[in-house]
Amino acid sequence: MSRFAALVEVRLRPGIADPAGTTIERSLAALGFADVSGVRTGKAIRLEVEADDAAAARSRVEELCRRFLTNPVIEDALVSLEEQAR
Amino acid sequence: MSVTVGVVVFPGTNCEHDVVEAVARAGGEARTVWHADRRLTGVDAVVLPGGFAHGDYLRPGAIARFSPVMAAVEELARAGGPVVGICNGFQILTEAHLLPGALQKNRGLAFVCAPAELEVVTDRSVLTAGVAVGRRLRVPVNHFEGNFTCDPSTLAELVDQDRIVLRYVHNPNGSVADIAGISNEAGNVVGLMPHPERASDPLLGSEDGLVLLAALLASAGAPMASPRSGAPPVPSDGSGSGAFGAVAAAAT
């Protein structure tokens, strides 16, 4: 078994309103960042998981995302994995 | 014998006493049920009240769904018993998949706390049985994540199956099709964002919430007269509270 560090990025699905992101984007021009656009907010969750290999670790974390960490009606998740040194 | 309503208290729930008081004003009895209880013995109907169950951590309702009491609530719902989620309770029912869709942040990122004009869309639910379709009720809303959303096929299903229970006359949060409340297919599970318990006394500016709570009590007292059967609600025959209690207890 290996230990993997996972970073789960919970994102609002395309088309789901992100009023926080919109509000941030609206304020950018006043700060001189008129060249920045496409702001979307979400959540980042870090966790560790024991698994035989990276594929198994990813499959466990993705199941966790589907069943608990996201609400699939309005959210999806991007999972990044990194094997931890023993 | 009057109808007994179980009002579930999660850590962070804050509307339970209001619901208990309002149910009493509507002519029923209510008692609180702690979220860690696995049984709903002697309860004819369940209300999941408003608040911030488990701190609304992760998402509103995401963690409450796993509280021990929810297995008994699901069993009661599947047996046809009345289950009503108000505000945070509605969010919990969607997370528990007892109702479809989700409650996303309000349009404009606005927390809304104001009286809302509601229109009764159907009388085929435990919360509106016997209430005239088209009747307008003034009931307050108080939420940040009350913007109901669902995919187009779910919305079509809600419309086709007459499951939109209440609509806003003036949409306060951006919810799809002005939805304020929906039911499951059988009509015995209802979720709504407005707070009927906060419109239960003249001092509160409206007593319209009692119309909904009285309908719930009538439905709970006559469980065989399913709102789906088209029969009008029948007053309790006195055969007793706990009509669904045995079923719920057996679920544990």
Side-chain angles (χ1 to χ4, degrees):
Chain A
M1 295 285 266
S2 304
R3 176 164 287 270
F4 294 85
L7 172 62
V8 176
E9 188 191 333
V10 179
R11 311 176 297 189
L12 290 166
R13 283 185 180 281
I16 294 294
D18 176 15
T22 306
T23 305
I24 292 167
E25 187 165 331
R26 261 208 311 267
S27 67
L28 291 177
L31 292 168
F33 287 93
D35 50 334
V36 175
S37 63
V39 177
R40 300 283 284 173
T41 64
K43 280 189 282 259
I45 302 169
R46 288 184 187 279
L47 51 91
E48 293 188 354
V49 59
E50 293 268 1
D52 288 336
D53 53 38
R58 176 170 294 277
S59 138
R60 285 296 280 168
V61 175
E62 284 177 350
E63 185 190 354
L64 178 61
C65 288
R66 199 175 59 250
R67 289 176 55 188
F68 185 42
L69 297 183
T70 69
N71 181 335
V73 178
I74 54 174
E75 296 169 329
D76 62 16
L78 187 66
V79 176
S80 315
L81 278 181
E82 193 180 318
E83 187 167 353
Q84 301 294 92
R86 277 281 162 189
Chain B
M1 203 166 184
S2 74
V3 167
T4 301
V5 178
V7 182
V8 178
V9 182
F10 300 90
T13 296
N14 61 17
C15 296
E16 70 273 24
H17 297 300
D18 308 59
V19 173
V20 167
E21 179 70 24
V23 166
R25 287 187 63 84
E29 285 178 25
R31 65 178 173 86
T32 56
V33 178
W34 181 235
H35 80 112
D37 289 354
R38 294 178 182 278
R39 289 165 181 273
L40 286 167
T41 314
V43 161
D44 306 297
V46 162
V47 171
L48 306 183
F52 302 85
H54 296 276
D56 273 2
Y57 293 149
L58 195 59
R59 297 178 304 279
I63 297 173
R65 169 192 163 200
F66 297 106
S67 276
V69 75
M70 288 305 292
V73 171
E74 280 174 36
E75 188 66 20
L76 178 68
R78 291 189 208 298
V83 174
V84 174
I86 299 168
C87 197
N88 193 220
F90 185 8
Q91 295 162 340
I92 294 168
L93 290 176
T94 60
E95 285 285 343
H97 305 303
L98 288 171
L99 290 174
L103 284 311
Q104 60 173 329
K105 286 190 177 63
N106 294 345
R107 176 182 56 198
L109 207 62
F111 189 100
V112 185
C113 180
E117 195 83 6
L118 308 177
E119 188 176 289
V120 176
V121 183
T122 180
D123 57 1
R124 289 154 65 89
S125 87
V126 289
L127 202 62
T128 52
V131 183
V133 171
R135 183 167 174 185
R136 293 200 173 181
L137 303 171
R138 195 173 166 80
V139 180
V141 292
N142 181 44
H143 59 245
F144 186 46
E145 283 111 344
N147 177 353
F148 180 81
T149 186
C150 61
D151 60 48
S153 66
T154 304
L155 180 61
E157 211 172 85
L158 289 174
V159 172
D160 291 347
Q161 298 175 347
D162 201 13
R163 291 166 55 187
I164 298 175
V165 177
L166 296 162
R167 277 191 210 270
Y168 300 111
V169 175
H170 305 289
N171 192 329
N173 56 28
S175 69
V176 66
D178 302 326
I179 285 174
I182 59 169
S183 78
N184 65 348
E185 200 175 347
N188 65 304
V189 178
V190 178
L192 73 165
M193 289 312 297
H195 287 266
E197 77 278 11
R198 296 190 190 179
S200 59
D201 189 294
L203 275 175
L204 298 173
S206 169
E207 288 185 291
D208 289 354
L210 292 178
V211 172
L212 300 173
L213 294 173
L216 172 64
L217 293 172
S219 302
M224 297 315 289
S226 160
R228 289 281 147 183
S229 70
V234 179
S236 172
D237 61 359
S239 64
S241 59
F244 289 101
V247 177
T252 64

